[in-house]
Amino acid sequence: MAKHLKTAKSETERAEDDAKVRTSVEAILRDIEERGDAAVRDLSEKFDGYTPDSFRLTQSQIDALVAELSDRELADIKFAQEQVRNFAQAQRDSMLDIEVETMPGVILGHKNIPVQSVGCYVPGGKFPMVASAHMSVATASVAGVPRIIACTPPFKGRPNAAVIAAMHLGGAHEIYVMGGIQAVGAMAIGTQTITPVDMLVGPGNAYVAEAKRQLYGRVGIDLFAGPTETMVIADDTVDGELVATDLLGQAEHGYNSPAVLLTTSRKLADDTTAEIERILTILPTADTARKSWEDYGEIILCDGHDEMLAQANHIASEHVQVMTDRDDWYLEHMHSYGALFLGPRTNVANGDKVIGTNHTLPTRKAGRYTGGLWVGKFLKTHSYQKITTDEAATLIGEYGSRLCMLEGFVGHAEQCNVRVRRYGGINVPYGEGAPYRDAAE
């Protein structure tokens, strides 16, 4: 039976935190709805201390910011975007439009059509999340979205050059320097100067995730991508330093980033605990990582791999790093997670920054019912039908007529009946189901 060697905040405590966030977000979104640009400006001044003449960057401003980067920095950004684009394009190529003749004269099909406008949120108030621009903007570009707008908060009082460059190179058509709820709200609700989008994508803190949740329905969203989560599944094939490094590498994201170790080795659990304490004495982001580990870190000792698998699927963490003697077994059997990182040679940071898979992933157990952001999220699969012969119109119409009457929908039935009369020459009495062919004969 699984044994918790270290526990995190209870679900009750987390729910209380969520309730506070929910109330704040409701008020801010209402303010944006009522006052538009004025509310956005006030909120930007309050939360970011940033009130430019215009939140939207001009092309000359974008060019100047890009020019601040060295050739090597730009090369690194372009390399990462190439990996993301290549994988997104391979995914796009797997999504085919289809058209089939299901019976003589009946043509059915579907088309994959890009969402027409997307708002991409790129976090950056605490750390400039350059990679998030690749994951949202570049992927939307591969999907063929005709209007891509991108928002990121100021970093240390001004636009971050690397983030703006990544947005621009990724294919953003409009770039705004604004953060948090005001950015997400402005993109979804619209203001006097910002035309609302059809869909919001991108990760963010608890407030951004809650804003997306509240705006869902008014616009589409990619998924609930809240504070980052990480899980390490490890046995005695790896050591405490590696595991501790991988746990803290994600815990430094924020004060509420869950980090969980599942292991079958008590020695590894103890060694990891000791290594975490050692690393926290030298990690520059230790203040954040320590608070996150104290409040949201867990170590769960399991009896075997089957129990680790069951725990992992139950927790459904965003990032799941597997370092065992049977990594591919977990790939075969895991069903609830954001993304898997298999073997000690890879790690979550690879996926976050450069390897090519998307890093906007489901959190808060959403991996039970959705995967992460990918090119397919920007595409809508729409079906169509056509009937090309009188015979097919009559036959389908006869069945449709009777099935509509079975449900009591006379108006529906008449849509079928009028075609049975016109294309089949069968005089169906008004408001009745079409006769069976043997009865008609």
Side-chain angles (χ1 to χ4, degrees), residues 231-247 268 320-328 330 340-351 355:
M231 172 186 288
V232 174
I233 300 173
D235 57 19
D236 56 11
T237 60
V238 291
D239 59 73
E241 180 189 25
L242 198 62
V243 173
T245 299
D246 289 338
L247 291 170
L268 179 63
V320 179
Q321 186 156 349
V322 183
M323 297 184 289
T324 68
D325 62 6
R326 61 196 74 187
D327 299 341
D328 287 342
Y330 282 91
L340 286 180
F341 304 81
L342 300 168
R345 291 179 181 82
T346 191
N347 62 82
V348 175
N350 282 349
I355 207 166

Side-chain angles (χ1 to χ4, degrees), residues 191-245:
T191 70
Q192 293 87 343
T193 59
I194 301 174
T195 303
V197 298
D198 298 323
M199 184 180 185
L200 291 172
V201 302
N205 62 20
Y207 290 89
V208 168
E210 175 60 21
K212 287 170 65 179
R213 188 191 70 80
Q214 292 187 23
L215 290 164
Y216 177 58
R218 179 189 287 253
V219 294
I221 65 171
D222 48 358
L223 58 144
F224 299 122
T228 195
E229 304 165 351
T230 199
M231 172 186 288
V232 174
I233 300 173
D235 57 19
D236 56 11
T237 60
V238 291
D239 59 73
E241 180 189 25
L242 198 62
V243 173
T245 299

Side-chain angles (χ1 to χ4, degrees), residues 66-361:
V66 173
E68 292 181 13
L69 300 178
S70 69
D71 290 343
R72 286 185 172 182
E73 287 170 332
L74 281 171
D76 285 346
I77 290 172
K78 290 176 180 178
F79 176 84
Q81 287 201 354
E82 183 181 10
Q83 311 319 305
V84 173
R85 284 183 178 277
N86 287 346
F87 189 58
Q89 188 62 58
Q91 291 178 309
R92 178 63 185 92
D93 292 344
S94 75
M95 300 178 67
L96 303 178
D97 294 352
I98 64 169
E99 184 173 281
V100 295
E101 188 170 20
T102 57
M103 57 184 293
V106 176
I107 308 296
L108 307 180
H110 77 225
K111 294 180 64 179
N112 295 297
I113 301 173
V115 175
Q116 293 301 287
S117 61
V118 169
C120 301
Y121 184 70
V122 178
K126 188 172 184 180
F127 299 102
M129 298 286 286
V130 178
S132 288
H134 318 328
M135 306 301 173
S136 56
V137 177
T139 307
S141 179
V142 171
V145 176
R147 178 181 176 236
I148 304 169
I149 79 172
C151 286
T152 190
F155 181 70
K156 297 182 178 179
R158 66 187 300 270
N160 180 270
V163 173
I164 300 304
M167 289 173 161
H168 175 62
L169 295 171
H173 303 108
E174 304 167 30
I175 298 176
Y176 297 83
V177 182
M178 64 173 73
I181 306 168
Q182 61 268 30
V184 173
M187 289 191 287
I189 297 168
T191 70
Q192 293 87 343
T193 59
I194 301 174
T195 303
V197 298
D198 298 323
M199 184 180 185
L200 291 172
V201 302
N205 62 20
Y207 290 89
V208 168
E210 175 60 21
K212 287 170 65 179
R213 188 191 70 80
Q214 292 187 23
L215 290 164
Y216 177 58
R218 179 189 287 253
V219 294
I221 65 171
D222 48 358
L223 58 144
F224 299 122
T228 195
E229 304 165 351
T230 199
M231 172 186 288
V232 174
I233 300 173
D235 57 19
D236 56 11
T237 60
V238 291
D239 59 73
E241 180 189 25
L242 198 62
V243 173
T245 299
D246 289 338
L247 291 170
L248 293 178
Q250 294 302 300
E252 74 174 358
H253 258 287
Y255 296 106
N256 56 350
S257 299
V260 180
L261 168 61
L262 299 180
T263 184
T264 53
S265 169
R266 179 62 188 248
K267 182 179 185 301
L268 179 63
D270 293 341
D271 289 350
T272 298
T273 301
E275 281 295 312
I276 285 174
E277 290 304 314
R278 181 187 68 81
I279 293 171
L280 286 172
T281 66
I282 58 175
L283 184 67
T285 54
D287 286 349
T288 302
R290 180 181 294 279
K291 180 64 174 173
S292 186
W293 176 248
E294 288 174 351
D295 288 350
Y296 291 89
E298 295 183 66
I299 297 178
I300 304 174
L301 184 63
C302 298
D303 289 337
H305 288 280
D306 287 335
E307 190 166 66
M308 285 204 293
L309 176 67
Q311 287 285 328
N313 279 325
H314 172 71
I315 295 170
S317 184
E318 176 188 14
H319 305 101
V320 179
Q321 186 156 349
V322 183
M323 297 184 289
T324 68
D325 62 6
R326 61 196 74 187
D327 299 341
D328 287 342
W329 181 84
Y330 282 91
L331 174 61
E332 181 181 354
H333 290 94
M334 280 203 68
H335 53 67
S336 298
Y337 57 90
L340 286 180
F341 304 81
L342 300 168
R345 291 179 181 82
T346 191
N347 62 82
V348 175
N350 282 349
D352 274 353
K353 310 304 177 188
V354 68
I355 207 166
T357 54
N358 207 289
H359 80 190
T360 304
L361 300 167

Side-chain angles (χ1 to χ4, degrees), residues 31-32 35-44 191-192:
D31 191 25
I32 294 171
R35 299 196 298 127
D37 284 331
V40 170
R41 183 164 292 277
D42 289 347
L43 290 162
S44 181
T191 70
Q192 293 87 343

